[in-house]
Amino acid sequence: MIITHPNRDKPVVQATRATVVLLLLVSAGLVLIVTVGGWSVLWGAKPIMIGYVLVYLTLAFYAARWNRGVLPVGAVLAVLLLIFALVAGPSWFARDKTGFAQPTIEAGLLGVLTLLIVPVQMLLIAFAMRGFRQGWNVEHERREPGAELYPEAPPHPA
């Protein structure tokens, strides 16, 4: 038997997969920059942010291997990260005043990077759901040319 995946050959499907992988990597990069830049002032969020980076890198790996199951998981995690970024962005700007401990990277820049996560997550949600509808998992089986239907007779019950 030869198994083919007809939807994976389409240019629009390949572009969607590449976009999803790129958005997952960009998201992981932005979260990593904000985590490293704000390490000295982040208290309880460190494990969550490190977890997001690791999970997004894992999802990018599996999406690059045509695993369609990671797309809804990525979309749900993107919704959560979008909410966290919307809430955390203004907090970085509020830290950009005297009297606050300053992070490694300027607090205003961390605020901009945190708010930049929001549109990236919106795009990730849209492209992940687009990829989910494209049927990356559709398989067609066909026999090899010249192959017999039954290569040998089935055993006869005694």
Side-chain angles (χ1 to χ4, degrees):
M1 287 289 191
I2 298 173
I3 297 175
T4 59
H5 298 90
N7 293 341
R8 294 181 185 178
D9 296 332
K10 299 175 184 174
V12 68
V13 175
Q14 291 177 356
T16 301
R17 178 183 69 147
T19 304
V20 167
V21 170
L22 178 68
L23 289 170
L24 285 166
L25 293 175
V26 167
S27 298
L30 286 171
V31 171
L32 185 62
I33 291 169
V34 170
T35 303
V36 170
W39 189 264
S40 60
V41 295
L42 293 173
W43 294 101
K46 289 177 189 176
I48 294 170
M49 294 176 83
I50 291 170
Y52 254 99
V53 171
L54 294 175
V55 168
Y56 269 23
L57 291 175
T58 305
L59 292 177
F61 171 76
Y62 282 111
R65 295 183 64 199
W66 292 104
N67 189 329
R68 180 180 157 215
V70 302
L71 297 175
V73 174
V76 168
L77 290 174
V79 169
L80 291 174
L81 185 57
L82 184 144
I83 293 168
F84 290 151
L86 277 174
V87 171
S91 300
W92 284 116
F93 293 117
R95 260 192 175 286
D96 202 13
K97 296 178 179 55
T98 58
F100 287 101
Q102 290 303 312
T104 307
I105 298 176
E106 182 185 337
L109 179 59
L110 286 175
V112 170
L113 292 174
T114 302
L115 291 178
L116 185 61
I117 291 173
V118 173
V120 173
Q121 298 314 294
M122 293 170 109
L123 287 171
L124 178 58
I125 294 165
F127 277 96
M129 290 299 92
R130 179 180 179 185
F132 192 74
R133 285 192 309 268
Q134 290 175 340
W136 294 2
N137 61 331
V138 173
E139 295 179 346
H140 289 213
E141 292 183 5
R142 60 183 171 92
R143 286 190 305 228
E144 295 179 25
E148 299 177 24
L149 188 58
Y150 297 106
E152 55 185 59
H156 196 19

